Amino acid sequence: MDRDTHSIVDLPKPRPAKTGHGKLTVVTVLAVALVGGAVFWLTRDEETRQVVKQRVATSTEHLRTTVEDSVRGTPLEGVMRLLTPPPPPLPASVTSPPTQPGTLAGQVIQSAVPTPAEPGAEGEIDPDAVPIAAKVEEDSVVRPQFVDDLAAWMVSRYQPGKGGGSSGVGVQSANLRYGGALKGFGISGDIPAGREALLRYAFTPTMLEALYELYADRFVEHLGTAAATPQQGKMLTPSQIDDMYRLYAARLALLASVLDGVAAVPDLSQKLEAMEKSAQRALDIHTRVTEAVFTLDQARENGSRTRIEAAQLRVDGLNAQYQRAINERTVAQQALTSAVRSRGAVREADDDTILFVAGWAGRRQAKHPHTQATLRKGAQLLRDLSGRLQRAGSVAR
């Protein structure tokens, strides 16, 4: 009867407080041991630390795992993380690899898996296991052939003279030679698309500098080689070669000033637009003048005096409008050239060169937001190249 009155709820139950107390006691002991170990470690000299490191190395991983399992889920888990040193950061060669000249992407890191060292050669590394990347010597788009052809072309355009030589090389002629045929560039397809692709590739400050570092020495060297090679039965003398170097050095320095001046004009697009509008207006009126002159000629052949006089008045009126449009275009051009000269210290550059460079830069500015920075970088590189040509000329004397 008494046994029937007892139920399962009357059975004795474990006391949770004892279990938690036991686990916390173990954790506390471990924590004290860790803190004591830390104090011991911090008070040792460097030599003692190295000895301890070697002795503990074989059992560290097992001990760390045991401690982490013990403190997991307790307030001492954070203490464990503080006492565990973080992993070392990645080296800069991995996080920020250098860029090879003549490429758009970062350097490709290549290495072989080191072979096991021979017995008794612990710590040695086989130098053949990690090959060194070959130095980049040419670009796949701006080819070395362009540099060589440019040097030979500039020499062929130089004409010696008693008071100093002359040359037909300029930005317009260079653009005609290389922009019209993409001579020496690894670009395929039709010319307009290829030219735009080339500019997207090369017309940035970083790429200009990379290409310059790649080809500047080669250009100066090939300029001298071409100058010392007979052309059309003639060969330049050392004094003529020196004069050629000085001539091109001066022109490059002048072009650098033009680039700086164009890049410094704050309202370049507005000035170019005003010039373009006046030029287009003059062109439209000129077309109307041509039509009016034709009508006048017809009236003179078989028209009345009244018809002839009316046609003549129309021609005169349109000629006056055309002259005003030409004057407006001239004023717009002068405003642009004056702005460039005042900012680029350009004194000897002719108006045609300034207007050509400004127009070219304006078209690039509409598609490339970094045009001004690229122009400034181009000016810097041209000045450096000018100095190299001057030094080469001194050696040629």
Side-chain angles (χ1 to χ4, degrees):
M1 183 74 173
D2 293 338
R3 286 180 298 183
D4 294 337
T5 60
H6 290 285
S7 65
I8 193 169
V9 295
D10 296 323
L11 295 177
K13 300 180 180 64
R15 286 182 287 182
K18 282 188 176 183
T19 304
H21 178 73
K23 182 176 181 180
L24 186 59
T25 301
V26 174
V27 171
T28 304
V29 172
L30 290 173
V32 171
L34 288 172
V35 173
V39 172
F40 170 80
W41 179 260
L42 294 175
T43 56
R44 302 303 95 187
D45 57 22
E46 185 61 27
E47 183 177 356
T48 304
R49 290 183 185 181
Q50 295 299 327
V51 173
V52 173
K53 282 183 181 180
Q54 293 176 359
R55 292 177 178 176
V56 177
T58 57
S59 58
T60 298
E61 183 61 25
H62 176 73
L63 177 60
R64 184 181 62 82
T65 303
T66 302
V67 173
E68 286 180 348
D69 293 339
S70 300
V71 302
R72 186 174 293 112
T74 72
L76 293 176
E77 183 176 4
V79 177
M80 182 62 188
R81 286 198 298 266
L82 291 176
L83 295 176
T84 304
L90 293 174
S93 61
V94 174
T95 58
S96 300
T99 299
Q100 290 285 8
T103 62
L104 292 180
Q107 179 182 7
V108 177
I109 301 176
Q110 298 178 345
S111 65
V113 179
T115 56
E118 294 294 331
E122 183 178 356
E124 294 183 5
I125 299 177
D126 183 2
D128 296 331
V130 184
I132 300 176
K135 180 182 178 181
V136 176
E137 295 183 352
E138 62 182 57
D139 185 74
S140 60
V141 176
V142 182
R143 307 293 297 153
Q145 291 80 359
F146 162 71
V147 179
D148 300 346
D149 183 82
L150 177 62
W153 177 64
M154 290 175 64
V155 171
S156 68
R157 300 278 286 181
Y158 170 77
Q159 296 296 326
K162 292 183 178 180
S166 61
S167 174
V169 171
V171 288
Q172 294 96 324
S173 59
N175 182 73
L176 180 63
R177 179 176 178 85
Y178 296 102
L182 298 179
K183 192 177 183 66
F185 299 109
I187 296 289
S188 58
D190 59 89
I191 297 300
R195 184 164 51 238
E196 182 59 29
L198 175 62
L199 289 173
R200 284 197 307 270
Y201 177 82
F203 193 64
T204 66
T206 302
M207 201 61 195
L208 280 186
E209 186 167 19
L211 291 171
Y212 181 78
E213 292 297 328
L214 193 62
Y215 290 134
D217 290 338
R218 182 188 185 105
F219 171 74
V220 176
E221 177 184 352
H222 278 67
L223 199 66
T225 301
T229 303
Q231 299 193 22
Q232 298 179 353
K234 297 181 180 180
M235 186 171 62
L236 298 179
T237 65
S239 61
Q240 291 171 341
I241 294 176
D242 173 52
D243 178 71
M244 181 197 67
Y245 275 124
R246 288 188 289 106
L247 172 66
Y248 284 133
R251 290 198 179 184
L252 292 179
L254 186 61
L255 180 57
S257 297
V258 173
L259 293 181
D260 273 337
V262 170
V265 176
D267 55 346
L268 177 64
S269 58
Q270 290 88 340
K271 282 183 166 54
L272 287 171
E273 183 179 0
M275 193 174 67
E276 179 64 25
K277 285 183 177 179
S278 61
Q280 185 61 49
R281 183 167 179 267
L283 181 60
D284 293 341
I285 296 175
H286 184 271
T287 301
R288 295 163 61 190
V289 168
T290 303
E291 296 173 351
V293 169
F294 179 75
T295 302
L296 176 60
D297 290 339
Q298 286 185 324
R300 285 172 177 171
E301 289 180 1
N302 46 6
S304 64
R305 179 176 295 275
T306 302
R307 183 182 173 188
I308 294 174
E309 290 177 352
Q312 184 65 58
L313 287 174
R314 178 171 173 74
V315 170
D316 294 342
L318 289 173
N319 278 330
Q321 293 180 35
Y322 178 72
Q323 189 59 49
R324 285 196 297 271
I326 291 297
N327 292 338
E328 291 174 1
R329 185 188 66 177
T330 302
V331 170
Q333 290 175 341
Q334 290 176 347
L336 177 56
T337 55
S338 297
V340 173
R341 284 194 170 93
S342 65
R343 290 169 173 82
V346 181
R347 295 291 180 268
E348 299 178 0
D350 58 276
D351 288 353
D352 288 342
T353 298
I354 295 177
L355 294 174
F356 180 87
V357 173
W360 187 90
R363 293 190 295 275
R364 302 286 77 72
Q365 198 171 47
K367 299 179 180 180
H368 304 277
H370 48 258
T371 294
Q372 288 182 317
T374 308
L375 290 175
R376 293 191 181 96
K377 173 57 68 173
Q380 173 190 340
L381 299 177
L382 286 176
R383 288 194 178 91
D384 184 84
L385 184 57
S386 174
R388 295 190 185 209
L389 294 183
Q390 288 179 342
R391 293 189 292 272
S394 301
V395 173
R397 289 181 212 173

